[in-house]
């Protein structure tokens, strides 16, 4: 049988189908905006104070078509990095402000609040602020008492911010989700992240936390999450709290728990997780040589950093400073290892964080509260997110998880290829 030779006689274009990976709940924040019917409203001006993480960017992107921001402030200890500054400035322009440190941030906030309130007065508008950690509410009451009627409200995400607001005779509403059920779940995962960060730091120093005593001061949501995560890496967690109910729960969870921290003298790691000063000088004096000291709080509150910094020090590793407490006064030399200058251990660059799909449930609650301020008037004071509002976010999250939509395929024409023909 004769066969005819094959020849490339013509050219034929080919195509391939491509898709972009998308996790189940990636569209949650936009879904919340759409579900609420959150529409543009020129009665309000907006300021956001936040940690400039990727999840925060997705929240702002979801809100971008419905709110016009006067400013986005990045909290310095989490956001003051060149890569963050460049990326956020490129995306959002001059509205992004990332001060060098907390005093500079306070000065910049006062300036911006003054400009925004002046614009509200001139345009017949009101100001809404979404913040983290209670920076703005005290500044408004301190510097702008005559203009507080122009503040529609502040939305807060942290217990620290709520506590700071409770200390004031509030003249406007502060809405928060700091103790919501979804925030509780996020706080537990935050405990895992903190332990992962501290364990990584210890490993870089050649230290294993397995089999070592680790004391957690504070048996709240985050502290409990920290203790559970420590147990999973085979450390020996000891929990300290003054609340008998929390101590009872810790003991029933199988933890060593006390009011006086009876394991401090043998602790290789101590983590403050109360939201207040939990590791003062008298506690730090009890720690053994080489103990790692870290914070799980949202600000630089837990540790008496000033006391530690009054001693000679050396940088010994990634975000770790060795403070040498004794050696020149007749007492044995002793050093403590301070993580991230007393700021949150999980805010170390590159340390990772709580998975986005969990954090975004809390950001969804922020969107619900922000929308609420545009729809109705609240009396001055503290207002917690309602159960029904929480359920909106949980239902949308569950719906996205349970009804996974396949990504829309994209047809991409590839380079033309020869087509074989038989002569």
């Amino acid at each position: 049988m004769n066969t005819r030779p094959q020849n490339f006689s013509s050219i034929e274009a080919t195509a391939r189908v491509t898709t972009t990976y998308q996790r189940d709940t990636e569209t949650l924040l936009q879904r919340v905006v759409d579900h609420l019917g959150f529409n543009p409203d020129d009665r309000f001006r907006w300021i956001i104070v936040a940690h400039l993480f990727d999840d925060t960017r997705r929240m702002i992107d979801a809100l971008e078509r419905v709110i016009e921001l006067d400013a986005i402030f990045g909290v310095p200890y989490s956001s003051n990095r060149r890569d963050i500054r460049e990326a956020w400035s490129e995306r959002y322009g001059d509205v992004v402000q990332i001060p060098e440190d907390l005093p500079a941030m306070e000065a910049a906030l006062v300036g911006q609040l003054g400009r925004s309130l002046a614009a509200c007065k001139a345009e017949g508008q009101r100001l809404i602020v979404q913040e983290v950690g209670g920076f703005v509410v005290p500044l408004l009451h301190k510097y702008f008492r005559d203009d507080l009627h122009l503040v529609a409200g502040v939305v807060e995400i942290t217990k620290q911010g709520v506590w700071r607001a409770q200390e004031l005779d509030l003249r406007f509403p502060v809405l928060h989700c700091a103790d919501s059920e979804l925030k509780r779940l996020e706080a537990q995962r935050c405990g895992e992240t903190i332990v992962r960060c501290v364990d990584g730091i210890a490993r870089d120093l050649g230290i294993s936390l397995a089999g070592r005593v680790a004391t957690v001061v504070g048996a709240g949501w985050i502290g409990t999450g920290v203790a559970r995560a420590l147990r999973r890496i085979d450390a020996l967690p000891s929990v300290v709290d003054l609340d008998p109910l929390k101590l009872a729960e810790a003991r029933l969870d199988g933890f060593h728990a006390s009011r006086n921290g009876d394991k401090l003298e043998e602790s290789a790691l101590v983590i403050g997780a109360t939201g207040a000063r939990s590791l003062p000088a008298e506690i730090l004096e009890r720690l053994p040589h080489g103990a790692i000291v870290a914070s799980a709080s949202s600000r630089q509150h837990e540790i008496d950093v000033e006391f530690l910094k009054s001693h000679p020090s050396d940088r010994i590793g990634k975000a770790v400073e060795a403070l040498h407490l004794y050696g020149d006064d007749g007492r044995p030399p002793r050093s403590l290892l301070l993580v991230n200058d007393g700021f949150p251990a999980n805010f170390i660059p590159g340390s990772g964080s709580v998975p986005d799909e969990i954090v975004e449930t809390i950001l969804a609650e922020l969107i619900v509260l922000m929308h609420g301020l545009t729809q109705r008037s609240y009396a001055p004071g503290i207002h917690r997110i309602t159960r029904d509002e929480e359920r909106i976010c949980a239902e949308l999250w569950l719906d996205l998880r349970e009804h996974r939509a396949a990504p829309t395929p994209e047809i991409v024409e590839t380079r033309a290829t020869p087509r074989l023909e038989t002569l």
Side-chain angles (χ1 to χ4, degrees):
M1 177 181 294
N2 291 329
T3 58
R4 301 169 67 185
Q6 292 180 322
N7 187 31
F8 292 101
S9 61
S10 63
I11 301 296
E12 183 177 78
T14 62
R16 59 188 172 87
V17 177
T18 66
T19 60
T20 301
Y21 170 74
Q22 188 177 61
R23 55 186 166 76
D24 300 350
T25 56
E26 191 165 336
T27 59
L28 173 64
L29 300 179
Q30 187 60 58
R31 286 281 295 273
V32 172
V33 171
D34 295 341
H35 176 85
L36 294 170
F38 201 154
N39 294 313
D41 192 332
D42 61 8
R43 295 176 300 161
F44 302 98
R45 309 186 74 88
W46 299 81
I47 294 174
I48 287 180
V49 181
H51 304 295
L52 301 189
F53 299 144
D54 288 346
D55 43 52
T56 308
R57 176 182 53 77
R58 284 190 289 275
M59 181 187 74
I60 294 173
D61 288 347
L63 290 166
E64 190 172 30
R65 68 176 178 82
V66 298
I67 68 174
E68 186 171 347
L69 287 164
D70 282 357
I72 301 170
F73 280 87
V75 178
Y77 57 80
S78 63
S79 309
N80 190 13
R81 303 205 317 266
R82 180 177 176 181
D83 56 333
I84 292 178
R85 188 182 302 276
E86 290 177 352
W88 280 71
S89 295
E90 181 179 354
R91 174 67 181 84
Y92 301 106
D94 293 340
V95 299
V96 176
Q97 299 186 46
I98 308 177
E100 180 179 351
D101 52 29
L102 292 179
M105 179 167 140
E106 179 172 323
L109 277 171
V110 170
Q112 182 60 58
L113 289 169
R115 291 189 294 272
S116 292
L117 290 170
C120 286
K121 188 178 298 184
E123 301 294 331
Q125 297 171 307
R126 302 186 75 196
L127 178 65
I128 295 176
V129 180
Q130 187 270 298
E131 73 160 328
V132 54
F135 295 101
V136 172
V137 173
L139 295 178
L140 283 169
H141 283 80
K142 181 177 181 179
Y143 294 103
F144 303 101
R145 292 193 68 85
D146 292 338
D147 293 324
L148 295 184
H149 64 285
L150 299 171
V151 180
V154 172
V155 174
E156 174 61 63
I157 192 174
T158 69
K159 290 182 179 180
Q160 184 66 231
V162 174
W163 294 336
R164 298 193 80 191
Q166 287 172 337
E167 295 173 354
L168 302 168
D169 178 18
L170 287 174
R171 303 277 296 278
F172 52 75
V174 175
L175 280 58
H176 76 91
C177 57
D179 62 355
S180 72
E181 281 300 297
L182 292 173
K183 190 71 168 71
R184 177 179 64 83
L185 299 176
E186 183 264 349
Q188 292 174 348
R189 302 286 84 79
C190 184
E192 294 177 354
T193 301
I194 289 161
V195 170
R196 186 170 66 247
C197 295
V198 175
D199 186 41
I201 287 170
R203 288 169 181 266
D204 288 344
L205 297 174
I207 299 169
S208 171
L209 295 176
R212 294 180 182 270
V213 174
T215 293
V216 182
V217 184
W221 292 349
I222 290 180
T224 299
V226 168
R228 289 173 178 164
L230 285 167
R231 187 156 57 189
R232 284 195 287 274
I233 65 168
D234 296 326
L236 306 175
S238 175
V239 176
V240 180
D241 206 293
L242 297 178
D243 186 334
L245 294 175
K246 291 180 179 178
L247 284 179
E249 181 178 0
R251 291 190 182 181
L252 290 173
D253 282 342
F255 296 114
H256 178 88
S258 68
R259 291 182 177 87
N260 61 1
D262 55 8
K263 295 283 187 179
L264 284 167
E265 284 79 5
E266 54 185 297
S267 294
L269 168 67
V270 180
I271 298 178
T274 67
R277 178 59 54 82
S278 63
L279 300 177
E282 54 266 30
I283 294 293
L284 297 170
E285 291 273 16
R286 295 173 57 185
L287 303 184
H289 172 69
I292 300 170
V293 183
S295 170
S297 193
S298 62
R299 297 179 70 172
Q300 197 188 29
H301 290 305
E302 298 284 344
I303 304 164
D304 190 343
V305 175
E306 185 177 358
F307 165 74
L308 290 176
K309 296 277 189 177
S310 68
H311 297 82
S313 66
D314 296 304
R315 282 280 169 186
I316 62 170
K318 177 185 176 183
V320 183
E321 187 175 10
L323 291 308
H324 310 299
L325 273 62
Y326 302 144
D328 55 0
D329 56 2
R331 289 184 286 181
R334 185 171 66 98
S335 301
L336 300 180
L337 309 184
L338 178 65
V339 174
N340 201 26
D341 289 323
F343 288 106
N346 56 320
F347 283 179
I348 298 169
S351 62
S353 188
V354 178
D356 289 342
E357 69 167 316
I358 296 175
V359 173
E360 286 176 4
T361 62
I362 315 307
L363 301 184
E365 293 189 329
L366 290 181
I367 292 173
V368 169
L369 294 175
M370 293 164 76
H371 178 255
L373 281 172
T374 70
Q375 299 301 299
R376 56 190 179 275
S377 296
Y378 292 82
I382 307 291
H383 301 266
R384 182 195 182 278
I385 190 170
T386 68
R387 293 291 185 182
D388 286 342
E389 289 170 331
E390 290 184 74
R391 289 189 182 98
I392 290 172
C393 302
E395 288 284 0
L396 290 173
W397 185 84
L398 287 169
D399 184 64
L400 284 168
R401 264 203 165 194
E402 293 171 358
H403 301 90
R404 300 183 59 179
T408 303
E410 180 182 4
I411 307 300
V412 179
E413 188 168 291
T414 61
R415 185 178 57 183
T417 57
R419 184 180 63 201
L420 289 176
E421 284 191 354
T422 302
L423 295 177

